[in-house]
Amino acid sequence: MTYLSLSGHTAGRELNRVRATAPLVHCLTNSVVTNFTANVLLAFGAAPAMVVAREEVADFAAIAGALSVNVGTLTAPQAEAIRLAVASANQAGTPWVLDPVAAGPLAFRTDFCRELLDARPTAIRGNASEVRALAGLASAGRGVDSQDSSEAAVDAARALAERCGAVVAVTGAVDYVTDGERVLAIAAGDPLLTRVTGTGCSLSALVAAFLVGASDRLIAVASACATMAVAGGLAADHAPMPGRFAVALLDQLSLIDSAALEGALS
Ligand SMILES: Nc1ncnc2c1ncn2[C@@H]1O[C@H](COP(=O)(O)OP(=O)(O)OP(=O)(O)O)[C@@H](O)[C@H]1O
Ligand SMILES: Cc1ncsc1CCO
Ligand SMILES: [Mg+2]
């Protein structure tokens, strides 16, 4: 398969577009990464709000710019709140992102993710095993092959995107972002991004921010992925240990600009 590459110029234009509006992102995320996710959005220049009560989520999802849903520490009450938020987002035309943390081996969250796929997320952002698990659900036995390769992950992402009408980002050493037809590859980042909790989860919230007002959702999602990956690479240059890296990542998310993206992406 031929992958398209995201130009630094395009990603930089998207970055400027998002920063200029400081979009409000409603996050229903897991308890491990809630604080880090809020800090990632704030550092970049978006506005987070972790409104979680079932009594409030529907009202808030209708006025937020975007909604980010993450099942990492899913509980039955949170699932109920997510249902209400997603229904309200869909009714209001608010874009929403699904982060299917650990979908596959655990029945409760996997069944819930299946239900959420039927509610048609605007975008899905997960790692390879999560995307392959969801694609297995979505294809209902259509047989996404089981090799552990990035090609299999891209096949799974495309199958999932076709089935749901979502843009799917499958992240790892290289991020692949697809709408089922086009596939953009982003080769950036640093392995330290995997040594701190919540980089993927907070990227999903950043994806939500980039979807607000986007004219091309594939480009918007890919640009969010590029922003996190390039900021991660710059942070690793400054702080090559996990603790300092986590802090440096926030710093680089605040410093990153279109010139940095143009310099880092071919
Ligand atoms: N081996 C790697 N080298 C460089 N960058 C990586 C590598 N693995 C992941 N990344 C980057 O790390 C970020 C998070 O992606 P990852 O696939 O690890 O998410 P995740 O598994 O959902 O994370 P979490 O659930 O811990 O939040 C992305 O920006 C991705 O590009
Ligand atoms: C460590 C962990 N456990 C549940 S969610 C989470 C954060 C990474 O997704
Ligand atoms: Mg994750």
Side-chain angles (χ1 to χ4, degrees):
M1 181 184 307
T2 335
Y3 303 129
L4 306 169
S5 56
L6 176 70
S7 79
H9 178 77
T10 301
R13 188 196 63 214
E14 287 293 289
L15 178 152
N16 288 334
R17 176 185 66 77
V18 179
R19 275 229 182 96
T21 58
L24 176 59
V25 183
H26 181 188
C27 302
L28 282 164
T29 190
N30 72 68
S31 56
V32 183
V33 305
T34 300
N35 178 269
F36 189 71
T37 299
N39 281 333
V40 162
L41 290 172
L42 285 168
F44 177 73
M50 280 55 183
V51 175
V52 299
R54 72 183 303 287
E55 294 83 357
E56 296 179 334
V57 288
D59 288 345
F60 199 72
I63 59 171
L67 169 69
S68 183
V69 167
N70 177 302
V71 301
T73 52
L74 189 69
T75 60
Q78 194 194 31
E80 191 48 35
I82 290 171
R83 282 188 189 99
L84 294 168
V86 163
S88 172
N90 279 343
Q91 194 170 14
T94 306
W96 65 281
V97 179
L98 172 62
D99 186 330
V101 179
L106 299 166
F108 172 57
R109 69 182 63 198
T110 305
D111 289 348
F112 186 59
C113 285
R114 179 187 287 122
E115 180 186 329
L116 290 178
L117 294 183
D118 290 337
R120 299 181 71 84
T122 315
I124 299 166
R125 202 287 324 159
N127 61 36
S129 70
E130 293 158 350
V131 168
R132 291 173 65 188
L134 287 197
L137 298 177
S139 62
R142 212 168 81 201
V144 171
D145 81 28
S146 63
Q147 287 168 240
D148 184 17
S149 70
S150 59
E151 204 170 316
V154 175
D155 285 347
R158 291 183 66 206
L160 186 57
E162 273 178 29
R163 149 75 165 72
C164 302
V167 173
V168 177
V170 54
T171 55
V174 178
D175 298 339
Y176 298 96
V177 185
T178 181
D179 58 7
E181 288 177 14
R182 297 172 290 171
V183 183
L184 286 167
I186 299 141
D190 190 278
L192 273 170
L193 284 160
T194 67
R195 303 291 306 281
V196 172
T197 193
T199 59
C201 301
S202 58
L203 170 56
S204 298
L206 197 62
V207 165
F210 273 65
L211 283 170
V212 181
S215 56
D216 183 329
R217 288 171 165 175
L218 180 76
I219 296 292
V221 173
S223 299
C225 291
T227 298
M228 177 62 80
V230 172
L234 294 168
D237 293 342
H238 288 83
M241 294 289 283
R244 282 171 282 162
F245 173 79
V247 175
L249 179 59
L250 297 178
D251 293 343
Q252 293 301 325
L253 283 166
S254 79
L255 291 170
I256 194 167
D257 59 10
S258 51
L261 289 174
E262 282 179 38
L265 303 177
S266 51

